[in-house]
Amino acid sequence: MAALLAGLAAYAFGPIAVFWLMTAMALCSIAATAGIPANAIDHAVARGLHGGDHGGNHGGGRETPSGLRVVLGCRPLLIFGGCAALFHFANAAMLPLVGQKLAMKDPALGTSLMSFCIVAAQLVMVPMAMLVGARADRWGRKPLLLAAFLVLPLRGVLYTLSDNSAWLVGVQLLDGVGAGLFGALFPLVVADLTEGTGRFNVSQGAIATLQGIGAALSTAAAGQMVVREGYSAAFLMLAAAAGVALLLAALLLPETRPETGNVATAEAGEDDMAPGDAAKAASEA
């Protein structure tokens, strides 16, 4: 809806209207967040501890968070963080580059076409996120994650095949597949790997920081590549980074689904053990 309104506003009033619209929506978001009752949040469960009999934030005996060393020593979590950074390095610059190409072909409709690209991708993201919710426990996290990583290099290569506006918008639909799957899987994988540690939010924030660094480097590197070698070279560079993320995830990242994660970590040894399992093992010892 935000992208659709932005496109309509830009078409009717010019690109400057988008900034006023986003400011208004940001203020509405702050108001909505402020309206959430504080006592509606169980802070123990929200950070990855176990609620219920453990008391959470409602009194009684409480679990305490594990030391950060448990999180930093979780090899699957570190690998996932690296994959996430590479994913966003490959993904962040693609849409801006497509927007530039569309604007070069038709400056008057550049902003509106950019908004249409976002709307089209988001319409694909919704069923992809629903697919994760319906099948992640049955199929496992890794097959869906690999599908998200596979779409990204394919998308980068396809962008180089034509400058036609319809083609560029059509390829952008693949962004909805990759980003929709990855966006829904991201908190699931982090929750799997930090279960029982109380470090879910810290881990999620750390990986989000890596994603932000990857995204910032993406636009900087892609911009330099466009200036030196052109748009096709930039898209191929981003596709290559996505290919590296795919290989890392395929070869080094274990399945994190709870039913199979415990078996995998037990066979891999203590170094590969998920923080939640490591904390339990230490407690039992």
Side-chain angles (χ1 to χ4, degrees):
M1 289 302 299
L4 179 61
L5 290 174
L8 293 174
Y11 183 79
F13 305 108
I16 191 66
V18 176
F19 295 97
W20 289 104
L21 176 66
M22 294 300 108
T23 300
M25 296 188 74
L27 293 174
C28 290
S29 297
I30 294 171
T33 304
I36 299 174
N39 60 6
I41 301 171
D42 187 323
H43 296 286
V45 173
R47 70 186 305 176
L49 292 173
H50 300 104
D53 295 338
H54 297 285
N57 65 341
H58 303 298
R62 300 189 184 200
E63 292 185 41
T64 57
S66 303
L68 289 177
R69 185 175 61 84
V70 174
V71 173
L72 294 175
C74 177
R75 185 175 155 191
L77 189 65
L78 297 177
I79 293 170
F80 181 67
C83 291
L86 283 170
F87 180 90
H88 280 265
F89 177 84
N91 186 60
M94 285 191 182
L95 180 58
L97 292 182
V98 171
Q100 290 176 17
K101 295 188 76 172
L102 291 172
M104 288 168 59
K105 292 182 69 67
D106 193 342
L109 294 177
T111 303
S112 296
L113 286 173
M114 184 79 155
S115 296
F116 184 77
C117 283
I118 297 173
V119 172
Q122 292 286 347
L123 290 176
V124 177
M125 287 183 194
V126 173
M128 291 298 103
M130 294 173 65
L131 176 66
V132 170
R135 290 290 181 264
D137 287 336
R138 182 178 300 178
W139 295 349
R141 279 58 157 147
K142 189 168 181 177
L144 294 168
L145 195 63
L146 292 179
F149 284 126
L150 179 61
V151 166
L152 200 48
L154 176 63
R155 182 170 147 231
V157 172
L158 290 176
Y159 278 137
T160 67
L161 301 183
S162 174
D163 290 337
N164 180 271
S165 296
W167 173 263
L168 294 175
V169 173
V171 174
Q172 179 59 23
L173 292 175
L174 292 175
D175 183 31
V177 177
L181 291 174
F182 183 83
L185 286 165
F186 169 61
L188 279 180
V189 173
V190 176
D192 291 342
L193 294 173
T194 59
E195 171 66 23
T197 67
R199 297 299 184 183
F200 168 72
N201 292 320
V202 170
S203 301
Q204 188 170 233
I207 295 178
T209 301
L210 292 176
Q211 291 178 346
I213 293 172
L217 293 175
S218 174
T219 51
Q224 289 296 317
M225 184 62 72
V226 168
V227 171
R228 294 181 181 181
E229 303 293 339
Y231 282 93
S232 292
F235 282 124
L236 291 176
M237 177 194 71
L238 298 174
V244 174
L246 174 62
L247 288 175
L248 285 176
L251 299 176
L252 300 179
L253 188 66
E255 172 60 61
T256 66
R257 183 178 58 183
E259 293 83 356
T260 59
N262 293 337
V263 176
T265 53
E267 293 177 348
E270 186 175 351
D271 288 341
D272 290 351
M273 187 172 289
D277 298 330
K280 294 175 184 176
S283 176
E284 291 173 358

